Amino acid sequence: MSAQSRAAVLPAFEAPLEIQSFDVPEPAANSAVVDVEFAGVCGTDVHIQNGRMPIHAPVVLGHETVGRVAALGEGMTHDVLGEPLEVGDAVAWQNSIACGRCTYCLVEQEPTLCTGSRLIYGMNQPADAFPQLSGGWAEKMYLQPGTIMVKLPEGITPRDVIPLGCAGPTAVHGVLHEVQINFGDTVVVQGSGPVGVAAAIYAQLSGARRVILVGGPAVRLEAAANLGVGHEYFDVTDGGDTEERISAVKALTPQGLGADVVIECAGIPSAVAEGIEMCRPAGQYCVIGQYTDHGTTPINPHYITRKQLRMHGSWGFSPQHYIRYIQSLPRLLEQFDLASLLTEYPLTAVNSALEDVKAGRVMKAVLLPGRAGN
Ligand SMILES: [Zn+2]
Ligand SMILES: [Zn+2]
């Protein structure tokens, strides 16, 4: 193992990232060092740079990462599914480790709601404390005990895992675990960013007959359509009337009553009132997209009672959702060319990658820290 690794460090909020070099520690017991092959740039990274998350700088960013085992500490003989691990194996890992001791971890079995101290790679691990290399925007990353690490299934490469980033397992949680989609269902997905695209993919794989994508701008809807994601498209950015859009969506559903399932992935509070109206009586509504707090919004709660809606919330993802995401990839990739979503950057171009994500110029930006000549 080379003794040094370069990493993109956020030195302070509102500042550009800097490339710095760190010593690579030998992995302690139940720990590992990985060579990073792909590291996603996510909307959350923009929020972190802007100082909107309760964390401390300096920090090595990067919470969506895939790579290969570089070194294994004592006891790291198998992945979380019991598969033997060796140096060189392609692996992926969940970006957080819940405390494993609180009521929500142990009794409720909902580690996304952990109230203890939860480690999040690329977010709340400072770059000025051991093991420093705790984010994915680096040539090497140090994985601590308790990391949910999984060897990639046969035929799946690191490049196959990265396009959906944290949106993939987030959609698995909401679409496969919170709501129930039945064969033949009509599903509305609000939002056409990575989470919306992933949600639509899982709705289709679950047997939905018709998936209606309500999002924008047009380039994103076109990218989804080119990928074979969704069947009908509505652009919310074209200045159209909300009531007309609700009527047009309902006209595409059986008897015009509304969708069986509506999944909110827009992240805009006002989308919720519209989504409630698009549900059929006894339909299901799942709010996944309000990941950051953008404030309150008027809704008409009469519709929830009158239609006997089943309302769901879904926050991030836990180990079972992450593993289900990885295990779904062989089937998912038969149908969807996810690599077409990628725009690749060398590690040294980290600031332009972040700018492109901020401006919405790319569907999915990824850094390739291991690529020669970076
Ligand atoms: Zn992310
Ligand atoms: Zn906990």
Side-chain angles (χ1 to χ4, degrees):
M1 194 190 315
S2 85
Q4 293 268 303
S5 164
R6 290 182 307 162
V9 179
L10 181 71
F13 298 120
E14 312 276 6
L17 281 97
E18 294 171 358
I19 304 296
Q20 297 179 9
S21 244
F22 296 96
D23 288 333
V24 181
E26 287 296 325
N30 302 312
S31 307
V33 173
V34 288
D35 288 312
V36 175
E37 292 201 358
F38 294 91
V41 181
C42 169
T44 304
D45 296 310
V46 176
H47 293 315
I48 293 174
Q49 190 185 33
N50 293 341
R52 289 193 54 189
M53 305 284 280
I55 58 166
H56 299 285
V59 58
V60 178
L61 295 187
H63 61 271
E64 306 171 340
T65 322
V66 198
R68 287 179 190 277
V69 174
L72 293 164
E74 192 193 332
M76 280 296 285
T77 52
H78 293 77
D79 75 359
V80 73
L81 296 177
E83 290 291 319
L85 277 178
E86 284 173 32
V87 169
D89 282 343
V91 288
W93 53 94
Q94 195 186 341
N95 58 14
S96 66
I97 306 174
C99 82
R101 290 189 295 276
C102 73
T103 310
Y104 282 94
C105 280
L106 289 178
V107 182
E108 297 283 341
Q109 307 277 307
E110 294 280 2
T112 51
L113 304 177
C114 174
T115 55
S117 54
R118 187 163 167 236
L119 178 158
I120 308 175
Y121 290 122
M123 286 192 209
N124 65 7
Q125 299 298 293
D128 51 8
F130 178 87
Q132 299 181 297
L133 295 163
S134 284
W137 297 359
E139 290 165 321
K140 290 188 193 291
M141 193 173 154
Y142 189 97
L143 302 181
Q144 300 194 33
T147 300
I148 308 298
M149 180 161 73
V150 62
K151 194 149 109 176
L152 300 190
E154 195 71 34
I156 297 298
T157 67
R159 196 161 191 267
D160 295 327
V161 178
I162 204 70
L164 291 181
C166 61
T170 297
V172 165
H173 181 189
V175 178
L176 301 186
H177 289 251
E178 293 298 334
V179 298
Q180 188 181 354
I181 293 175
N182 292 310
F183 285 107
D185 273 356
T186 301
V187 176
V188 169
V189 175
Q190 300 176 277
S192 52
V195 180
V197 166
I201 285 175
Y202 284 106
Q204 283 172 240
L205 293 178
S206 300
R209 184 176 61 87
R210 178 177 260 169
V211 172
I212 303 168
L213 217 47
V214 180
V219 284
R220 285 200 150 174
L221 293 172
E222 279 159 25
N226 290 337
L227 202 60
V229 175
H231 305 103
E232 308 279 349
Y233 307 89
F234 288 86
D235 187 349
V236 297
T237 65
D238 68 0
D241 179 70
T242 307
E243 291 307 319
E244 279 174 21
R245 187 162 59 238
I246 293 168
S247 303
V249 166
K250 287 174 83 169
L252 293 169
T253 66
Q255 302 178 64
L257 289 171
D260 300 285
V261 180
V262 178
I263 300 162
E264 185 281 318
C265 307
I268 298 163
S270 60
V272 175
E274 188 170 327
I276 287 171
E277 288 210 54
M278 289 175 177
C279 284
R280 72 165 167 84
Q284 304 168 68
Y285 189 45
C286 187
V287 179
I288 302 178
Q290 309 288 325
Y291 196 79
T292 44
D293 186 345
H294 289 283
T296 58
T297 186
I299 62 162
N300 186 341
H302 171 65
Y303 295 135
I304 301 173
T305 304
R306 178 67 187 81
K307 295 201 275 189
Q308 293 186 188
L309 295 186
R310 284 170 284 166
M311 305 287 284
H312 302 260
S314 184
W315 166 255
F317 52 92
S318 64
Q320 60 168 323
H321 311 125
Y322 189 74
I323 298 301
R324 182 70 57 92
Y325 167 66
I326 298 294
Q327 290 180 322
S328 74
L329 285 171
R331 170 67 187 88
L332 197 156
L333 291 161
E334 282 173 17
Q335 198 171 333
F336 303 100
D337 176 21
L338 294 183
S340 66
L341 299 174
L342 294 177
T343 305
E344 300 179 346
Y345 302 80
L347 183 62
T348 46
V350 59
N351 287 304
S352 19
L354 208 49
E355 283 302 319
D356 288 348
V357 170
K358 213 179 287 181
R361 278 191 286 267
V362 292
M363 193 73 180
K364 187 67 203 176
V366 290
L367 301 172
L368 285 75
R371 179 175 283 182
N374 269 347

